[in-house]
């Protein structure tokens, strides 16, 4: 019997990856419902993406000389990402000479013989394919691993993006002819009209430069959206803003006017070097509070107005040695958790064929190492894990009766009540259902016990008497992330503090203001809403509203 069933077993093993990918894929195509992106079944689909560059001089996806394309796609899935924002230059769709150029020739014309040899070893089937077919194969490989794809029109001419004076910045620039751009969008949308894994198209990356203006933005972005939707009505149509996609503020009063609905998504970028924050010279609470207000005014308000907003680029120096980037990242993650953002990190690639004239350029923001073999920063992959699946949105188990969780952005973990005497950090999927009441109590809804502060340096505990000052927890500092209470005996103000071993203790609040060198992150927590299933299937308490965004100081 074993011999007769072995071919079936072998077939099952061969099909298993495809079956698992199909099982994990949401119901497609995607659409929108108020601020949410949803599947065809109406259930929230959270975009947790990585940017994969395919728009530089070779006009091919980076890394094909380093690893097999299927292996790269598998690594994306293994790191927990469900989509890739795959970039492309307009000429790939409009210039027949470029589109038909074999990958080998594209690399050879740039003098990259070593890359040719690498592709021959790692992706021999792609070496002599036309560039446009190489692009198709990359999409196909991602789809085979259950990875959704968003096609991002990065530039017109292949090359590094972006500069204010590169001629690719805004409609009417020397390399940005609106008619050719519309033609390219239509061609690319048509090319993938029957590819369900291609779920969205970003119309143009980082509009910029001296010619940018709001009136032309409305004119051409609306035309681009209509062109894409006419060619491929299944995809989300994603619109970027002005000033390197740092601002969508002009949309506060006037939205775009389109002939279709249920497909429009806006996108915004957020980097520490362009968000207005003085991350290295300013107190971290003050910097984070100021920057969040800035980002809200530039585009985050769209979520409050009921429009989907995709943070299609954020990123940081993965070496962990850049102080400003590290501080910015923790602030970003706190907002990503609180607002349950859709996002895409820059970048997947660990290195480039060529970037700004340098061969084999090392991407310090890359998820993968220079040789594409390992994760550059494995701790970040663990940290981002809890933000790769939705906390909120339609179709989640408790979407009608959400509860609170207490998120710790420094670790990416949540506060768990293991017992009345032990609160500690753990996976957010294992979090208790908390209730942050209008009386400022943090209550475990299944027991009715509340968090209490006993003394400085001691573990926070649970108790039943929630009337004492030591059971009232206010969100203080300009970051609104210090969770603070007063000790009953002497009125000393303490804050929740995550110790290196993960235990939650109460220590004197630190770094509240002024000092730019002090690190407050162990004391940063976000009390956020969640509609996820609760371990053990506990019922949910009705929660009070947490108020408008951006959050304001709590008052009695």
């Amino acid at each position: 019997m074993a011999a007769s069933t072995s071919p079936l077993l072998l077939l099952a093993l061969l099909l298993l990856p495809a079956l698992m990918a199909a099982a994990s894929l949401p119901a497609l195509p995607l659409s929108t419902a108020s601020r949410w992106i949803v599947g065809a079944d109406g259930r929230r689909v959270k975009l947790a993406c990585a940017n994969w560059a395919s728009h530089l001089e070779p006009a091919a996806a980076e890394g094909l000389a380093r690893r097999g394309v299927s292996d790269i796609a598998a690594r994306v899935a293994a790191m927990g990402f469900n989509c890739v924002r795959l970039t492309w230059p307009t000429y790939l769709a409009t210039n027949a000479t470029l589109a038909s150029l074999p990958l080998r020739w594209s690399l050879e014309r740039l003098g990259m013989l070593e890359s040719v040899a690498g592709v021959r070893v790692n992706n021999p089937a792609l070496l002599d394919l036309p560039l446009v077919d190489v692009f198709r194969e990359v999409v196909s490989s991602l789809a085979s691993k259950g990875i959704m794809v968003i096609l991002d029109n990065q530039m017109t001419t292949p090359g590094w993006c972006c500069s204010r004076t590169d001629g690719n910045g805004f409609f009417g620039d020397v390399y940005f002819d609106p008619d050719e751009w519309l033609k390219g969008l239509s061609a690319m949308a048509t090319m993938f009209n029957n590819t369900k894994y291609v779920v969205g198209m970003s119309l143009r990356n980082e509009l910029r430069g001296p010619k940018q203006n709001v009136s032309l933005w409305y004119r051409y972005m609306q035309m681009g959206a209509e062109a894409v939707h006419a060619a491929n009505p299944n995809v989300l149509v994603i619109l970027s803003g002005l000033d390197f996609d740092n601002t969508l503020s002009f949309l506060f009063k006037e939205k775009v006017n389109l002939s279709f609905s249920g497909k429009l998504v806006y996108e915004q970028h957020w980097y520490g070097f362009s968000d207005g924050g003085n991350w290295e010279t300013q107190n971290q609470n003050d910097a984070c509070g100021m920057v969040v207000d800035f980002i809200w005014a530039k585009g985050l308000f769209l979520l409050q107005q009921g429009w989907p907003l995709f943070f299609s680029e954020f990123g940081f120096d993965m070496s962990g040695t850049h102080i400003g980037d590290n501080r910015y990242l923790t602030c970003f993650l706190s907002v990503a958790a609180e607002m349950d953002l859709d996002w895409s990190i820059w970048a997947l690639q660990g290195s480039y064929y060529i970037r700004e004239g340098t061969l084999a350029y090392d991407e310090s923001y890359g998820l993968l190492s220079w040789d594409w073999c390992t994760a550059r920063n494995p701790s970040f992959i663990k940290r981002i894990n809890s933000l790769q699946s939705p906390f909120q949105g339609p179709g989640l188990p408790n979407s009608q009766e959400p509860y609170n969780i207490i998120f710790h952005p420094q670790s990416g973990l949540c506060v768990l009540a293991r017992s009345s005497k032990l609160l500690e950090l753990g996976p957010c999927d294992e979090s208790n259902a908390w209730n942050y009441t209008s009386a400022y109590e943090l209550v475990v809804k299944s027991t009715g016990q509340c968090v209490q502060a006993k003394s400085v340096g001691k573990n926070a505990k649970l108790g039943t008497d929630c009337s004492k000052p030591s059971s009232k927890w206010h969100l203080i500092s300009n970051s609104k992330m210090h969770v603070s209470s007063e000790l009953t005996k002497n009125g000393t103000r303490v804050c929740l503090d995550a110790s290196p071993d993960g235990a939650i203790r109460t220590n004197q609040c630190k770094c509240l203001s002024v000092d730019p060198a002090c690190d407050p992150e162990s004391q940063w927590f976000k009390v956020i809403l969640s509609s996820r299933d609760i371990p053990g299937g506990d019922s949910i308490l009705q929660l009070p509203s947490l108020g408008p965004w951006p959050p304001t100081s709590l008052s009695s």
Side-chain angles (χ1 to χ4, degrees), residues 447-507:
T447 66
Q449 294 178 302
C450 58
V451 179
Q452 297 178 340
K454 295 299 182 182
S455 61
V456 174
K458 299 297 184 180
N459 287 350
K461 296 183 178 181
L462 297 179
T464 56
D465 185 355
C466 302
S467 62
K468 297 178 180 180
S470 59
S471 298
K472 310 296 182 182
W473 298 92
H474 296 262
L475 308 180
I476 64 171
S477 79
N478 285 335
S479 69
K480 301 297 185 291
M481 284 193 278
H482 282 84
V483 184
S484 176
S485 184
E486 293 183 2
L487 297 179
T488 303
K489 290 184 178 180
N490 55 20
T492 299
R493 182 162 291 281
V494 295
C495 285
L496 296 182
D497 198 341
S499 63
D501 64 1
I504 306 301
R505 298 191 170 94
T506 51
N507 288 317

Coordinates of all heavy atoms in Angstrom, one line a residue, residues 447-507:
T447 N -11.6 39.3 34.5 CA -11.6 39.2 35.9 C -12.1 40.4 36.7 O -12.4 40.3 37.9 CB -10.1 38.9 36.4 OG1 -9.3 40.0 36.1 CG2 -9.6 37.7 35.7
G448 N -12.1 41.5 36.0 CA -12.5 42.8 36.7 C -11.3 43.4 37.5 O -11.5 44.4 38.1
Q449 N -10.2 42.7 37.5 CA -9.0 43.3 38.3 C -8.4 44.4 37.5 O -8.3 44.3 36.2 CB -8.1 42.1 38.6 CG -8.6 41.1 39.5 CD -7.6 40.0 39.7 OE1 -7.1 39.3 38.8 NE2 -7.2 39.8 41.0
C450 N -7.8 45.3 38.2 CA -7.2 46.5 37.6 C -5.7 46.5 37.9 O -5.2 46.0 38.9 CB -7.9 47.8 38.0 SG -7.9 48.1 39.7
V451 N -4.9 47.2 37.1 CA -3.5 47.4 37.3 C -3.3 48.3 38.5 O -3.9 49.4 38.5 CB -2.8 47.9 36.0 CG1 -1.3 48.1 36.3 CG2 -3.0 46.9 34.9
Q452 N -2.3 48.0 39.3 CA -2.0 48.8 40.5 C -0.5 49.0 40.6 O 0.2 48.1 40.3 CB -2.6 48.2 41.8 CG -4.1 48.0 41.8 CD -4.6 47.3 43.1 OE1 -3.9 46.7 43.8 NE2 -5.9 47.5 43.4
A453 N -0.2 50.2 41.1 CA 1.2 50.5 41.4 C 1.4 50.3 42.9 O 0.7 50.9 43.7 CB 1.6 51.9 40.9
K454 N 2.5 49.6 43.3 CA 2.7 49.3 44.7 C 3.8 50.2 45.2 O 3.7 50.9 46.2 CB 3.1 47.9 44.9 CG 2.0 46.9 44.6 CD 0.8 47.2 45.5 CE -0.4 46.1 45.3 NZ -1.5 46.4 46.1
S455 N 5.0 50.2 44.5 CA 6.1 51.1 45.0 C 7.1 51.2 43.8 O 7.0 50.4 42.8 CB 6.8 50.5 46.2 OG 7.3 49.2 46.0
V456 N 8.1 52.1 44.0 CA 9.1 52.3 42.9 C 9.9 51.0 42.8 O 10.4 50.5 43.8 CB 9.9 53.5 43.3 CG1 11.1 53.6 42.3 CG2 9.1 54.8 43.3
G457 N 10.1 50.6 41.6 CA 11.0 49.4 41.3 C 10.4 48.1 41.5 O 11.0 47.1 41.3
K458 N 9.1 48.0 41.9 CA 8.4 46.8 42.1 C 7.5 46.4 40.9 O 7.2 47.3 40.1 CB 7.5 46.8 43.3 CG 8.3 47.1 44.6 CD 9.3 45.9 44.9 CE 10.0 46.2 46.2 NZ 10.9 45.1 46.6
N459 N 7.2 45.2 40.8 CA 6.3 44.7 39.7 C 4.9 45.4 39.8 O 4.4 45.5 40.9 CB 6.1 43.2 39.7 CG 7.4 42.5 39.3 OD1 8.3 43.1 38.7 ND2 7.4 41.2 39.5
A460 N 4.4 45.8 38.7 CA 3.0 46.2 38.7 C 2.1 45.0 38.9 O 2.5 43.9 38.5 CB 2.6 46.9 37.3
K461 N 1.0 45.1 39.6 CA 0.2 44.0 40.0 C -1.3 44.3 39.6 O -1.7 45.4 39.3 CB 0.3 43.7 41.5 CG 1.7 43.3 41.9 CD 1.8 42.9 43.3 CE 3.2 42.4 43.7 NZ 3.3 42.0 45.2
L462 N -2.1 43.2 39.8 CA -3.5 43.4 39.6 C -4.2 43.3 41.0 O -3.7 42.6 41.9 CB -4.1 42.2 38.7 CG -3.6 42.2 37.3 CD1 -4.3 41.0 36.6 CD2 -4.0 43.5 36.5
G463 N -5.3 44.1 41.1 CA -6.0 44.1 42.4 C -7.5 44.4 42.1 O -7.9 44.7 41.0
T464 N -8.3 44.3 43.1 CA -9.7 44.4 43.0 C -10.2 45.8 43.4 O -11.3 46.3 43.0 CB -10.5 43.4 43.8 OG1 -10.0 43.5 45.2 CG2 -10.2 42.0 43.3
D465 N -9.4 46.6 44.2 CA -9.8 47.9 44.6 C -9.2 48.9 43.6 O -8.0 49.2 43.6 CB -9.2 48.2 46.0 CG -9.7 49.6 46.6 OD1 -10.4 50.3 45.8 OD2 -9.4 49.9 47.7
C466 N -10.1 49.4 42.8 CA -9.7 50.2 41.7 C -9.9 51.7 42.0 O -9.9 52.6 41.0 CB -10.4 49.8 40.4 SG -10.1 48.1 39.9
S467 N -10.3 52.0 43.2 CA -10.6 53.4 43.5 C -9.4 54.2 44.0 O -9.5 55.5 44.0 CB -11.7 53.4 44.7 OG -11.2 52.8 45.9
K468 N -8.3 53.6 44.3 CA -7.2 54.4 44.8 C -6.4 55.1 43.7 O -6.5 54.7 42.5 CB -6.2 53.4 45.5 CG -6.8 52.7 46.7 CD -5.8 51.7 47.3 CE -6.4 51.0 48.6 NZ -5.4 50.0 49.1
P469 N -5.7 56.2 44.0 CA -4.9 56.9 43.0 C -3.9 55.9 42.3 O -3.6 56.1 41.1 CB -4.2 57.9 43.8 CG -5.1 58.2 45.0 CD -5.7 56.8 45.4
S470 N -3.4 54.9 43.0 CA -2.4 54.0 42.4 C -3.0 53.1 41.4 O -2.3 52.3 40.8 CB -1.7 53.2 43.5 OG -2.7 52.4 44.3
S471 N -4.4 53.2 41.2 CA -5.1 52.4 40.2 C -5.5 53.2 39.0 O -6.2 52.7 38.1 CB -6.2 51.6 40.8 OG -5.8 50.7 41.8
K472 N -5.2 54.5 39.1 CA -5.6 55.4 38.0 C -4.4 55.7 37.1 O -3.3 56.2 37.6 CB -6.1 56.8 38.6 CG -7.2 56.6 39.7 CD -8.4 56.0 39.1 CE -9.5 55.9 40.2 NZ -10.7 55.2 39.7
W473 N -4.5 55.5 35.8 CA -3.4 55.6 34.9 C -3.7 56.6 33.8 O -4.6 56.4 33.0 CB -3.1 54.2 34.3 CG -2.8 53.2 35.3 CD1 -3.6 52.3 36.0 CD2 -1.4 52.9 35.8 NE1 -2.9 51.6 36.9 CE2 -1.6 51.9 36.8 CE3 -0.2 53.4 35.6 CZ2 -0.5 51.4 37.5 CZ3 0.9 52.9 36.3 CH2 0.7 51.9 37.2
H474 N -2.8 57.6 33.8 CA -3.0 58.7 32.9 C -1.8 58.6 31.8 O -0.7 58.2 32.1 CB -2.9 60.1 33.6 CG -4.1 60.3 34.5 ND1 -5.2 61.0 34.2 CD2 -4.3 59.9 35.8 CE1 -6.0 61.0 35.2 NE2 -5.5 60.3 36.2
L475 N -2.1 59.1 30.6 CA -1.2 59.1 29.5 C -0.5 60.5 29.5 O -1.2 61.5 29.2 CB -1.8 58.8 28.2 CG -2.7 57.5 28.2 CD1 -3.3 57.3 26.8 CD2 -1.9 56.3 28.6
I476 N 0.8 60.6 29.9 CA 1.4 61.9 30.1 C 2.6 62.0 29.1 O 2.9 61.1 28.3 CB 1.9 62.1 31.5 CG1 3.0 61.0 31.9 CG2 0.7 62.0 32.5 CD1 3.6 61.3 33.2
S477 N 3.2 63.1 29.1 CA 4.3 63.6 28.2 C 3.7 63.9 26.9 O 2.6 63.5 26.5 CB 5.4 62.6 28.1 OG 5.1 61.5 27.3
N478 N 4.5 64.6 26.1 CA 4.0 65.0 24.8 C 3.8 63.9 23.8 O 3.1 64.0 22.8 CB 5.0 66.1 24.1 CG 4.8 67.4 24.8 OD1 3.7 67.8 25.3 ND2 5.9 68.2 24.7
S479 N 4.4 62.7 24.1 CA 4.2 61.6 23.2 C 2.9 60.8 23.6 O 2.5 60.0 22.8 CB 5.4 60.6 23.4 OG 5.4 60.0 24.7
K480 N 2.4 61.1 24.8 CA 1.2 60.4 25.3 C 1.4 58.9 25.4 O 0.5 58.2 25.3 CB 0.0 60.7 24.4 CG -0.4 62.2 24.2 CD -0.8 62.8 25.5 CE -1.3 64.2 25.4 NZ -0.2 65.2 25.0
M481 N 2.7 58.6 25.7 CA 3.0 57.1 25.8 C 3.5 56.7 27.2 O 3.7 55.6 27.4 CB 3.9 56.7 24.7 CG 3.3 56.6 23.3 SD 4.3 55.7 22.1 CE 5.4 57.1 21.5
H482 N 3.7 57.7 28.1 CA 4.0 57.3 29.5 C 2.7 57.0 30.2 O 1.8 57.9 30.3 CB 4.7 58.5 30.2 CG 6.2 58.5 29.8 ND1 6.6 59.2 28.7 CD2 7.3 58.1 30.4 CE1 8.0 59.1 28.6 NE2 8.4 58.4 29.7
V483 N 2.5 55.8 30.7 CA 1.3 55.4 31.4 C 1.6 55.6 32.9 O 2.4 54.8 33.5 CB 1.0 54.0 31.1 CG1 -0.3 53.6 31.8 CG2 0.8 53.8 29.6
S484 N 1.0 56.6 33.5 CA 1.5 57.1 34.8 C 0.4 57.0 35.9 O -0.7 57.3 35.6 CB 2.0 58.5 34.6 OG 2.4 59.0 35.9
S485 N 0.9 56.7 37.1 CA 0.0 56.7 38.3 C 0.7 57.3 39.5 O 1.9 57.6 39.4 CB -0.4 55.2 38.6 OG -1.4 55.2 39.6
E486 N 0.0 57.5 40.5 CA 0.5 58.1 41.8 C 0.5 57.0 42.9 O -0.6 56.4 43.1 CB -0.2 59.3 42.2 CG 0.0 60.5 41.3 CD -0.7 61.8 41.8 OE1 -1.3 61.7 42.9 OE2 -0.6 62.8 41.1
L487 N 1.6 56.8 43.6 CA 1.6 55.9 44.7 C 0.7 56.4 45.8 O 0.7 57.6 46.1 CB 3.0 55.7 45.2 CG 4.0 55.1 44.2 CD1 5.4 54.9 44.9 CD2 3.5 53.7 43.7
T488 N -0.1 55.5 46.4 CA -1.1 55.9 47.4 C -0.4 56.4 48.6 O -0.9 57.4 49.2 CB -1.9 54.7 47.8 OG1 -2.6 54.1 46.6 CG2 -3.0 55.0 48.8
K489 N 0.7 55.9 49.0 CA 1.4 56.3 50.3 C 1.9 57.7 50.3 O 1.7 58.5 51.2 CB 2.5 55.3 50.6 CG 2.0 53.9 51.1 CD 3.1 53.0 51.5 CE 2.6 51.7 51.9 NZ 3.7 50.8 52.4
N490 N 2.7 58.1 49.2 CA 3.4 59.3 49.2 C 3.1 60.2 48.0 O 3.7 61.3 47.9 CB 4.9 59.1 49.4 CG 5.4 58.2 48.4 OD1 4.8 58.0 47.3 ND2 6.6 57.6 48.7
G491 N 2.3 59.8 47.1 CA 2.0 60.6 45.9 C 3.1 60.6 44.9 O 3.0 61.4 43.9
T492 N 4.1 59.8 45.0 CA 5.2 59.8 44.0 C 4.6 59.3 42.7 O 3.8 58.3 42.6 CB 6.3 58.8 44.4 OG1 6.8 59.3 45.7 CG2 7.4 58.7 43.4
R493 N 4.9 60.0 41.6 CA 4.4 59.6 40.3 C 5.3 58.6 39.7 O 6.6 58.8 39.6 CB 4.3 60.9 39.3 CG 3.8 60.5 38.0 CD 3.3 61.7 37.2 NE 2.1 62.3 37.9 CZ 0.9 61.8 37.7 NH1 0.7 60.7 36.9 NH2 -0.2 62.4 38.3
V494 N 4.8 57.5 39.2 CA 5.5 56.4 38.6 C 4.9 56.1 37.3 O 3.8 56.5 37.0 CB 5.5 55.1 39.5 CG1 6.2 55.4 40.8 CG2 4.1 54.7 39.8
C495 N 5.7 55.4 36.5 CA 5.2 55.0 35.1 C 5.5 53.5 34.9 O 6.4 52.9 35.5 CB 6.0 55.8 34.0 SG 5.5 57.5 33.8
L496 N 4.6 52.9 34.1 CA 4.9 51.5 33.7 C 6.2 51.5 33.0 O 6.5 52.3 32.2 CB 3.8 51.0 32.8 CG 2.4 50.8 33.5 CD1 1.4 50.2 32.4 CD2 2.4 50.0 34.7
D497 N 7.0 50.4 33.3 CA 8.3 50.3 32.7 C 8.6 48.9 32.4 O 8.5 48.0 33.2 CB 9.4 50.9 33.7 CG 10.7 51.2 33.1 OD1 11.0 50.7 32.0 OD2 11.5 52.0 33.7
A498 N 9.0 48.6 31.1 CA 9.3 47.2 30.7 C 10.8 47.0 31.1 O 11.7 47.6 30.5 CB 9.1 47.0 29.3
S499 N 11.1 46.0 31.9 CA 12.4 45.7 32.3 C 13.1 44.8 31.2 O 12.4 44.3 30.4 CB 12.4 45.0 33.7 OG 11.7 43.8 33.6
P500 N 14.4 44.7 31.2 CA 15.0 43.9 30.2 C 14.5 42.4 30.2 O 14.6 41.8 29.1 CB 16.5 43.9 30.6 CG 16.7 45.2 31.4 CD 15.4 45.4 32.1
D501 N 14.0 41.9 31.3 CA 13.5 40.5 31.3 C 12.0 40.5 30.9 O 11.4 39.4 30.9 CB 13.7 39.9 32.6 CG 12.9 40.5 33.8 OD1 12.2 41.5 33.5 OD2 13.0 40.1 34.9
G502 N 11.4 41.6 30.5 CA 10.1 41.7 30.0 C 9.0 41.9 31.1 O 7.9 42.1 30.8
A503 N 9.4 41.9 32.4 CA 8.5 42.2 33.5 C 8.1 43.6 33.5 O 8.9 44.5 33.2 CB 9.1 41.8 34.8
I504 N 6.8 43.9 33.8 CA 6.3 45.3 33.8 C 6.4 45.8 35.3 O 5.8 45.2 36.2 CB 4.9 45.4 33.3 CG1 4.8 44.7 31.9 CG2 4.4 46.8 33.3 CD1 5.6 45.4 30.9
R505 N 7.3 46.8 35.5 CA 7.5 47.3 36.8 C 7.0 48.8 36.8 O 6.7 49.4 35.8 CB 8.9 47.2 37.2 CG 9.4 45.8 37.3 CD 10.8 45.7 37.9 NE 11.1 44.3 38.2 CZ 11.8 43.5 37.4 NH1 12.3 44.0 36.2 NH2 12.1 42.2 37.7
T506 N 6.9 49.4 38.0 CA 6.6 50.8 38.1 C 7.9 51.5 38.6 O 8.4 51.2 39.7 CB 5.5 51.0 39.1 OG1 5.7 50.3 40.3 CG2 4.2 50.5 38.5
N507 N 8.4 52.4 37.8 CA 9.5 53.2 38.1 C 9.2 54.7 38.0 O 8.2 55.0 37.4 CB 10.7 52.8 37.2 CG 11.3 51.5 37.6 OD1 11.5 51.1 38.7 ND2 11.6 50.7 36.5

